[in-house]
Amino acid sequence: MHLPETTLASVLLVGATSGLFAATAFASAAPSPLTNGDLVAVRAHKLHVSPGNVLEDATLLIRDGVIMQVGDDLKVPDGARVIEGDVVCAGFMDPWGSLGMNGPATVDMSTNAATRAVDGVDPYLHPWYRHQALAAGVTAVRVQAGMVSARGGVGAVLSTAPAEDLKSMILLEDSNAAAGLGLSSRGNPTDVFARISAVDKLVSDINSGRDYAMGLAKYAHELEAWNKTIAEAEAKLEKDFKKAQKDRDKEIAEAKEKGKEFKEEKYKEDKRPKPPKPDAEDAVMARVASGELPLVVTIHRAAEMRELLKGTARFKRLRLVIAGGTEAEAVADELAARSIPVIVRPIPLGANRPDEYSGHDLALAGRLADAGVRVLLGSSGGGSADLPLLASLAIGHGLDRDKALAALTTEVARTFDLSGELGSLRPGRRADLLVLDGEPLLPTTTVRYALSAGRVLISPDSRD
Amino acid sequence: MRTQRRMHTNALLLASLAFVASAPASASSREGDALAIRAEKLHVGDGTVIENGIVVFEAGVITEVGKGAPVPKGVVLIEHAGHLSAGLIALREHAGAGGESNDSSRAVMDEADLAFAYRPHHSEVQGLLEEGITTFVLAPRPGSLVGGLCAVAKTGSEVISRRAYLSICTGTNGLTSNRFPTSLQGSQAELERRFSWPRGVFATAVKGELPVMLDGGSSRTEVQHAIGFARRHGLKGLLVGSTRLGEMAAKIRAAGLGVAISNYAPSTGRRVVEGAVALSEMQVPFGFALGSPNNHPANLRLTAAACIRAGLKSSDALRALTSTAAQLAGVADKVGSVQAGLAADLVLWSGEPTDPGSRVMAVYVDGDEVFQAEDDENGDDQ
Amino acid sequence: MIWTPFLHAACLTLCAPPLQDAPGAEPQEPEAPKAQPAAAPPADLRLHAERVYTGTGEILKNALIEVREGKISSLRPGRSAPEGVPQVKAITAGMIDLSARLHSNFNSVEQSTEVQPHLDVAGSVNLYDKRFARLARTGVTTILVNPLDRNVIGGRGVALKTHGPMEVEARRLKARPILRGAIGSEPSAANHAAFGRPTDFYSRRPTTRMGVEWEWRKAFFDAVAAKRLPEMDFPGAEDLREALAGKRTVMIQAWTTQDIRTAVYLDEEMQREGFGDLDLVIDAGAEAWKEPAMLVRNSTIVVLPPHTAGGRIGSDGAFLAWNTANQLVEQGLTVCLSAHGAGPGPATLGHQAGFAMRGGLSFDQALAAVTTAPAAVLGLSDRLGTVAEGMDADLALWNGRPFAATSRVTGVVIDGTVVVNPR
């Protein structure tokens, strides 16, 4: 069986694959240096193409870090590096992490909507952290500057693979905009009225974003009209310049005769439309209002979530994502209806938790999923390496196993517009995948191989 | 506690007609009623697993265990499509004391009895049941040199051992900045004095009749002191409170001490879990500490799972959570295994007990069903 | 074990047998003595130096040092280096810092009572502290660890090698006992007057210099009185009486002239009262240069704090001049230098000796101030401070003339163990 190619890119890539065997034969005649561009074949007894879509005894071919073909009837081409294992699935993605970020940047309280997470990436992070995450199966992390700030900046999705340069670490430099509502500051809860007005402030920020976008659109429209008028006037002048000059001289003479002041004809040129005042924050919120960027709102209490949902209902194109959502069960129906995903943090919190987490329950993820809400699981910056373990805790408290796997793979990719590149093992996707010795999300299962863009970063001999 | 008792959804009743009439009202074996459960996998607690094992219990006590254990006529047999194990045991726990498990007014509170701090129906205790924890060692919070006598309590029920351990902090955890002692040398001098000329509980401890729960502190030096202290005075018992115990496994074994593994905190606990593997390799008996309510009860199993991820055998982890913990707490004759004669403290799991992805479907304490998972259309994810 | 790579390298390159205190080192079977002469067994370690500054005033040229069982077994000048034996420019005895300040933190002094002469700081020493390793790398092989000076009388100090077994009691040197205390603002710094209801013992303790001095005097008077009146006895009284009898060294931190004077007057008052004579060492005596006469009169030993760029040092803002060491030595006083441990700064004990030389001290005097003089304070002159047969094999290996600005310690040997490989 061949999987249907879903995107144009994959069609093109698979199209290229038909010439693969010839290419391989050619390569064997003139061997190229071994890079990640080489052919890798991954064979598994069970291959989770995506959660719930499992192929038995299947093969997956990787070239240039991209999945070329997946199927249970594929032959392994000559010269391919073969990796075999029991179970293969897509690499896990932490939609609420901090790995790869400079520590202080993540807790910066002075960030605004225009702060960019990619400016806070720390390429000199100790490799141990990356190794830990990869060994646990986490291949990508969505990061955020100002994770607990009222306005986190523009988030990014980073690869957990070690990289020589910053650019290759960044999978998506503008995954989302972010806001934090009602979060405790230094362990102290904020005032209840301040919390509600903070929600209103966010709604009004989205609104000014929309106004800004409309202002820009209006300006573009006016500019176009003005350019047109000017062009017409110029054409007219070009065409009959001598006549125009004559007419003008005549008018000047007439004016002199009558002892009047000569009035120069006004041209459109002086009324050039003015662009709106540039505003970086509004520019980001404009992208949010138009639905270009998802808006991740870290919010926990039901009252604030209700206010947020009410206030944002009129922004039809807005794509909200709730992070935390401790009391989200109270608004589950609306979240489901509006297809708003919730990034749940399935971490066991003790009695000393912050006020907004007071209703914390490990069963949240399962209950939301049962109510039809899209659920993602995130570490909230505590350590992406533990996310798979925490996800199993969510399973143990009621989350369906396939939904938990989706919460770490496909749902993350879908939420942050990366479905075409990450989250599943379909042709055309980046080869971020795991070869496991058992079913995913079991404590007894170890990651035997972790591949990032086709590069083998964890293997049985690399484990410490 | 959930007052509404329902029969387990997967339960199949095999009972005489006379019994059927009353059975659905209560799945309890309290008042002389017997009950039997057959599980796909029954974890005895010593490492053996009985496929389709049956456990029969009556009046709160297990009467029969085995694959073909006879189910007396008229006894309800519940079929459980999943695993069954003894209730989990948390070593060093503070739930049920409502924050009153340490009296900081004095450095040495040798006769303070934690049994008097225990409130079985405190809300903190109920959270333990939902995670399958049926027994725990109620210990003083750190902060004193000698915090008192630890009690072994049944979750939501009575204290089954009042003098399980004498709690001692030999390291910095016993110090405060404004009360004697403020220094390690001061604390060591005071403890040496108490144990070199022992009276009361100290004499009992030196005789080996009362185990100690030694909180050595966090650093290797402090743990070394704690082990040295135990050896010098011939003390038996448990080391707690340090993340570095694994590095001292050989010394701990030589001292004949056990260990309560500290809580694994996500993102920081690598040392703890690797320590557990080292202790296991060195055959040092160990269980798991919890420390709720400041730590979530789910942390007990999460810690065990993290240890498994680091290389601990799943069966060893379950032993540490049940039978070894019972031995360390001196209550192995009462709880910790699914064995005839022991209390019917049982947990029905949807899958492997040490997988955090397994759900707690039902919990029995002394044969009483005290917790049952909420029904939902998804059921368990078998 | 951080030393493992060095030890391992040492095993391979220095032909040394497995080192006893080297957990983690590969166990190696000793070579079977096939064609060895029946005489002395092969040395555990051999080193060759162009110059060995023995510390006795003698400089041995092209000397070969052999080490057996942690001791210097032979020291022969005028030898060429046998093949495979590491060669260095210079060797001195390992340096000794009497004020290394490696107490761990506030837990290293018992503050519930201001006078705790009986408590031993050993209980709070953390040998896993990386500063031990850092100190060892700078050529400091022996240190004195004292309680934190938050107390008036903090307790007993402990002398330790900077490398060795990882248990304090196993590493402790049988040094002359030290009673440590402080005069000045530090012992009263954390205290406060009881405004209203006293909440803890910090309101009972002294809040001024005067109060600190009074605690000292009261402690000695009480100790003497308790000898006759047993009901007055208190923990540590015996330690104080031993100090009065000169059986233990009293090391007092006193930065400023005022505090140094207080310490000396205390000693002299004890003598006048007929209680005894303290064997007094002033630690961190930055301003000893202001009134040296009283120190000469009392033959007090001074441990100087590290030099700073501006001269000011310590919580009392004392001023240490560059030529202080020289001034004191010229007056006939015994001076020891200290780097106050392995702080973040670059100035090691070797640098301090260099600074003191810049202030006028001769090389021999500077060497004595970091080796023989502190060894004598510890009562360990028969083991430490000089390079001679029978002494502990504690050596600092230099790549040039010791204490010169262009030289540094490139190798360290402690008890015959190569702690830093000179290569």
Side-chain angles (χ1 to χ4, degrees):
Chain A
M1 168 195 129
H2 267 92
L3 285 170
E5 289 85 42
T6 48
T7 64
L8 183 64
S10 60
V11 171
L12 291 173
L13 279 161
V14 173
T17 321
S18 44
L20 191 71
F21 296 98
T24 313
F26 179 75
S28 62
S32 56
L34 281 169
T35 63
N36 62 0
D38 282 275
L39 199 56
V40 181
V42 181
R43 289 167 60 164
H45 295 304
K46 271 180 91 174
L47 194 146
H48 294 258
V49 176
S50 62
N53 178 3
V54 181
L55 298 181
E56 305 267 331
D57 291 318
T59 305
L60 179 147
L61 296 178
I62 301 165
R63 186 171 194 102
D64 285 330
V66 175
I67 299 170
M68 307 297 296
Q69 280 178 300
V70 185
D72 50 13
D73 52 356
L74 294 181
K75 277 194 185 121
V76 175
D78 293 340
R81 174 177 178 181
V82 180
I83 295 173
E84 291 191 318
D86 275 345
V87 179
V88 169
C89 69
F92 303 141
M93 301 166 76
D94 184 351
W96 191 9
S98 62
L99 185 72
M101 284 292 281
N102 164 272
T106 58
V107 292
D108 190 345
M109 296 300 286
S110 65
T111 51
N112 63 35
T115 311
R116 291 168 6 121
V118 285
D119 293 333
V121 172
D122 176 10
Y124 303 108
L125 182 78
H126 196 282
W128 184 81
Y129 294 101
R130 299 182 179 285
H131 180 87
Q132 286 298 105
L134 284 164
V138 178
T139 55
V141 180
R142 185 192 67 85
V143 295
Q144 189 72 64
M147 292 176 79
V148 288
S149 167
R151 294 289 176 280
V154 176
V157 177
L158 306 179
S159 166
T160 57
E164 277 106 48
D165 62 310
L166 202 60
K167 208 178 150 196
S168 51
M169 273 173 64
I170 298 166
L171 298 174
L172 182 61
E173 66 167 3
D174 51 353
S175 57
N176 64 288
L181 294 176
L183 307 180
S184 291
S185 160
R186 289 159 206 254
N188 299 315
T190 41
D191 172 76
V192 60
F193 301 110
R195 295 202 300 255
I196 292 297
S197 45
V199 178
D200 297 343
K201 174 80 174 65
L202 178 63
V203 172
S204 106
D205 277 10
I206 299 170
N207 201 45
S208 20
R210 188 168 69 170
D211 289 350
Y212 186 76
M214 284 163 73
L216 278 179
K218 189 165 162 258
Y219 167 65
H221 182 74
E222 284 173 358
L223 192 64
E224 197 187 353
W226 178 80
N227 278 331
K228 200 177 156 200
T229 321
I230 288 295
E232 278 167 7
E234 274 178 1
K236 198 176 152 198
L237 283 175
E238 282 284 327
K239 199 176 168 191
D240 212 349
F241 182 71
K242 276 188 181 161
K243 183 174 180 289
Q245 203 173 29
K246 236 179 217 171
D247 289 351
R248 185 171 174 269
D249 290 346
K250 200 174 152 192
E251 278 171 37
I252 291 174
E254 273 175 19
K256 218 177 188 178
E257 226 166 76
K258 291 178 185 167
K260 276 183 188 170
E261 202 186 337
F262 169 70
K263 268 191 182 170
E264 195 85 69
E265 190 184 343
K266 291 272 183 190
Y267 284 93
K268 263 267 186 205
E269 197 166 354
D270 306 319
K271 293 173 194 161
R272 186 190 165 95
K274 283 210 175 92
K277 201 175 157 225
D279 187 311
E281 290 176 57
D282 276 346
V284 171
M285 292 319 271
R287 295 173 74 191
V288 167
S290 69
E292 186 194 337
L293 289 182
L295 176 65
V296 177
V297 184
T298 309
I299 187 168
H300 293 275
R301 297 182 190 85
E304 289 145 54
M305 275 187 271
R306 280 201 191 94
E307 182 78 5
L308 179 70
L309 291 173
K310 197 176 77 186
T312 55
R314 63 195 157 105
F315 303 110
K316 298 296 176 208
R317 302 169 79 173
L318 177 75
R319 289 194 291 149
L320 267 184
V321 179
I322 302 284
T326 298
E327 296 169 14
E329 223 187 320
V331 290
D333 290 344
E334 190 168 356
L335 295 175
R338 285 171 62 178
S339 190
I340 296 173
V342 179
I343 310 176
V344 176
R345 178 191 187 196
I347 192 170
L349 290 176
N352 293 338
R353 54 191 178 233
D355 182 70
E356 63 268 28
Y357 280 102
S358 52
H360 181 74
D361 191 338
L362 289 169
L364 176 67
R367 290 193 190 140
L368 288 177
D370 288 347
V373 179
R374 293 174 53 202
V375 170
L376 282 63
L377 296 172
S379 70
S380 79
S384 296
D386 286 308
L387 187 57
L389 205 55
L390 297 178
S392 67
L393 208 54
I395 296 170
H397 289 78
L399 184 64
D400 178 73
R401 202 168 270 279
D402 276 343
K403 281 183 182 163
L405 194 54
L408 299 180
T409 54
T410 44
E411 284 293 346
V412 185
R414 182 181 157 197
T415 303
F416 297 103
D417 305 323
L418 286 164
S419 291
E421 289 148 72
L422 294 168
S424 65
L425 299 183
R426 293 197 171 86
R429 306 311 190 271
R430 189 180 143 106
D432 282 12
L433 58 87
L434 313 173
V435 181
L436 310 168
D437 60 2
E439 281 302 311
L441 305 180
L442 287 178
T444 44
T445 296
T446 54
V447 176
R448 287 177 56 75
Y449 297 91
L451 277 67
S452 177
R455 272 200 298 163
V456 180
L457 295 172
I458 298 288
S459 64
D461 10 290
S462 78
R463 296 192 74 96
D464 51 4
Chain B
M1 192 186 292
R2 282 167 201 277
T3 48
Q4 190 196 357
R5 299 224 177 92
R6 290 163 298 173
M7 289 311 297
H8 198 263
T9 43
N10 297 338
L12 177 68
L13 301 181
L14 301 174
S16 71
L17 284 171
F19 197 81
V20 165
S22 63
S26 164
S28 157
S29 68
R30 229 344 162 193
E31 293 87 31
D33 302 343
L35 202 62
I37 303 173
R38 175 154 56 201
E40 283 178 359
K41 287 203 162 83
L42 188 154
H43 298 260
V44 175
D46 57 0
T48 54
V49 179
I50 305 172
E51 305 275 339
N52 294 315
I54 296 175
V55 53
V56 186
F57 49 96
E58 187 173 0
V61 177
I62 298 169
T63 53
E64 294 276 355
V65 180
K67 193 180 177 83
V71 179
K73 206 178 167 196
V75 169
V76 177
L77 176 70
I78 295 173
E79 292 283 357
H80 172 60
H83 293 234
L84 181 149
S85 78
L88 307 187
I89 301 174
L91 299 171
R92 198 188 216 200
E93 173 55 16
H94 312 304
E100 292 191 56
S101 64
N102 177 262
D103 195 323
S104 62
S105 61
R106 263 153 289 175
V108 178
M109 295 279 284
D110 45 332
E111 294 282 357
D113 195 332
L114 270 290
F116 292 104
Y118 183 46
R119 281 185 271 163
H121 300 293
H122 196 283
S123 58
E124 294 165 358
V125 177
Q126 296 310 308
L128 300 179
L129 286 178
E130 295 174 21
E131 296 296 336
I133 301 163
T134 57
T135 301
F136 59 91
V137 177
L138 184 59
R141 284 178 201 278
S144 299
L145 290 193
V146 180
L149 294 158
C150 305
V152 182
K154 282 288 194 72
T155 308
S157 180
E158 80 270 31
V159 166
I160 55 171
S161 168
R162 264 180 62 181
R163 292 158 75 95
Y165 297 102
L166 178 65
S167 169
I168 299 168
C169 289
T170 58
T172 43
N173 289 348
L175 308 181
T176 50
S177 65
N178 58 3
R179 190 240 297 129
F180 169 82
T182 71
S183 68
L184 285 171
Q185 57 263 48
S187 116
Q188 286 158 15
E190 178 65 17
L191 288 172
E192 282 304 320
R193 189 173 73 78
R194 299 269 183 170
F195 279 86
S196 300
W197 298 276
R199 286 160 42 190
V201 292
F202 300 110
T204 324
V206 167
K207 273 186 237 155
E209 290 165 12
L210 174 64
V212 292
M213 184 182 277
L214 279 179
D215 183 329
S218 49
S219 74
R220 276 174 290 188
T221 305
E222 290 171 58
V223 176
Q224 266 182 4
H225 276 302
I227 298 169
F229 179 75
R231 294 195 80 157
R232 210 156 43 247
H233 299 291
L235 305 178
K236 291 292 164 234
L238 208 54
L239 281 170
V240 299
S242 173
T243 58
R244 313 206 70 136
L245 296 173
E247 295 164 53
M248 306 280 173
K251 282 191 169 137
I252 295 171
R253 183 181 156 84
L257 295 165
V259 167
I261 304 283
S262 293
N263 249 248
Y264 166 77
S267 83
T268 58
R270 186 178 151 106
R271 199 176 265 158
V272 172
V273 297
E274 286 178 355
V277 178
L279 290 167
S280 166
E281 281 165 4
M282 200 56 80
Q283 293 177 326
V284 173
F286 67 90
F288 292 95
L290 175 53
S292 88
N294 280 350
N295 292 315
H296 191 287
N299 246 326
L300 190 74
R301 232 166 14 119
L302 185 69
T303 305
C307 293
I308 292 169
R309 189 171 70 159
L312 185 69
K313 273 202 280 179
S314 196
S315 56
D316 288 347
L318 184 60
R319 270 216 298 267
L321 287 166
T322 55
S323 56
T324 310
Q327 279 155 19
L328 287 169
V331 289
D333 57 336
K334 297 189 179 80
V335 296
S337 309
V338 186
Q339 269 177 28
L342 267 58
D345 295 356
L346 307 170
V347 184
L348 307 190
W349 309 90
S350 69
E352 193 67 48
T354 50
D355 173 13
S358 301
R359 292 186 73 179
V360 176
M361 304 310 294
V363 180
Y364 292 80
V365 172
D366 292 327
D368 237 351
E369 195 194 50
V370 291
F371 171 75
Q372 191 180 58
E374 284 171 54
D375 287 325
D376 58 58
E377 49 272 53
N378 292 342
D380 52 23
D381 51 303
Q382 290 296 298
Chain C
M1 290 302 302
I2 48 171
W3 299 125
T4 307
F6 302 115
L7 289 169
H8 194 59
C11 288
L12 298 171
T13 59
L14 304 184
C15 318
L19 302 158
Q20 287 174 350
D21 303 322
E26 297 285 326
Q28 290 178 358
E29 286 296 316
E31 292 277 322
K34 283 176 191 163
Q36 292 285 345
D44 297 340
L45 174 68
R46 292 197 291 175
L47 296 167
H48 185 273
E50 284 181 20
R51 280 184 163 76
V52 173
Y53 299 88
T54 61
T56 57
E58 205 178 358
I59 300 171
L60 304 178
K61 288 184 182 167
N62 295 320
L64 184 67
I65 299 177
E66 288 190 348
V67 175
R68 286 181 179 80
E69 290 172 355
K71 301 276 181 188
I72 297 169
S73 58
S74 93
L75 175 61
R76 285 167 294 177
R79 302 295 177 109
S80 56
E83 203 176 320
V85 170
Q87 281 179 279
V88 293
K89 287 278 183 193
I91 288 180
T92 63
M95 291 178 275
I96 303 171
D97 195 331
L98 292 183
S99 194
R101 305 194 171 220
L102 286 198
H103 36 64
S104 37
N105 47 37
F106 287 118
N107 294 332
S108 64
V109 66
E110 180 55 48
Q111 296 194 59
S112 55
T113 314
E114 20 312 56
V115 175
Q116 302 272 10
H118 59 300
L119 287 185
D120 194 322
V121 77
S124 65
V125 171
N126 179 10
L127 292 178
Y128 293 94
D129 190 331
K130 287 195 169 56
R131 291 177 297 175
F132 277 94
R134 253 191 271 160
L135 262 183
R137 291 183 140 265
T138 67
V140 175
T141 56
T142 299
I143 55 170
L144 180 64
V145 180
N146 283 315
L148 186 71
D149 291 311
R150 280 290 178 119
N151 253 21
V152 176
I153 300 181
R156 301 175 192 164
V158 56
L160 300 164
K161 295 281 178 82
T162 49
H163 178 261
M166 292 312 284
E167 281 181 47
V168 176
E169 289 314 313
R171 209 192 281 190
R172 177 197 278 273
L173 292 166
K174 285 195 179 64
R176 183 176 159 77
I178 298 271
L179 180 65
R180 170 74 179 201
I183 287 174
S185 65
E186 213 170 321
S188 60
N191 304 334
H192 53 80
F195 304 109
R197 198 162 61 102
T199 52
D200 55 31
F201 50 66
Y202 294 102
S203 60
R204 187 192 69 223
R205 293 151 46 95
T207 56
T208 60
R209 279 187 154 74
M210 184 174 63
V212 170
E213 193 276 339
W214 176 81
E215 285 289 351
W216 272 101
R217 216 147 23 102
K218 182 178 185 309
F220 282 119
F221 273 85
D222 286 354
V224 172
K227 198 170 183 185
R228 273 173 289 147
L229 301 166
E231 66 273 22
M232 275 191 71
D233 202 20
F234 59 95
E238 185 55 32
D239 296 66
L240 292 168
R241 288 192 292 265
E242 281 189 8
L244 286 169
K247 288 184 195 162
R248 55 181 62 214
T249 300
V250 179
M251 190 179 209
I252 299 180
Q253 172 178 279
W255 298 89
T256 63
T257 323
Q258 180 191 5
D259 299 327
I260 295 168
R261 198 189 299 134
T262 304
V264 173
Y265 284 8
L266 179 75
D267 188 4
E268 290 177 348
E269 185 180 350
M270 295 300 117
Q271 293 169 35
R272 273 202 310 281
E273 294 287 341
F275 290 170
D277 185 357
L278 301 180
D279 181 4
L280 187 64
V281 174
I282 298 290
D283 182 29
E287 293 189 354
W289 57 275
K290 285 188 178 170
E291 295 179 23
M294 63 183 174
L295 297 169
V296 175
R297 187 174 71 213
N298 195 46
S299 52
T300 305
I301 295 169
V302 178
V303 182
L304 289 177
H307 296 83
T308 61
R312 293 278 167 198
I313 184 163
S315 50
D316 290 316
F319 184 80
L320 175 74
W322 289 85
N323 61 356
T324 299
N326 189 39
Q327 278 194 14
L328 299 181
V329 169
E330 278 179 354
Q331 303 262 358
L333 286 167
T334 300
V335 170
C336 303
L337 298 175
S338 169
H340 282 192
T348 64
L349 189 53
H351 289 119
Q352 298 305 331
F355 294 156
M357 283 172 73
R358 190 178 139 191
L361 216 56
S362 73
F363 175 82
D364 285 346
Q365 288 164 339
L367 181 62
V370 293
T371 53
T372 50
V377 171
L378 295 176
L380 292 171
S381 298
D382 57 335
R383 281 183 63 184
L384 309 175
T386 52
V387 185
E389 286 179 13
M391 302 293 280
D392 283 10
D394 293 353
L395 304 168
L397 281 49
W398 303 77
N399 65 350
R401 185 176 163 84
F403 315 140
T406 50
S407 306
R408 63 185 180 89
V409 172
T410 54
V412 179
V413 175
I414 298 178
D415 287 328
T417 297
V418 179
V419 171
V420 180
N421 196 318
R423 284 182 318 131

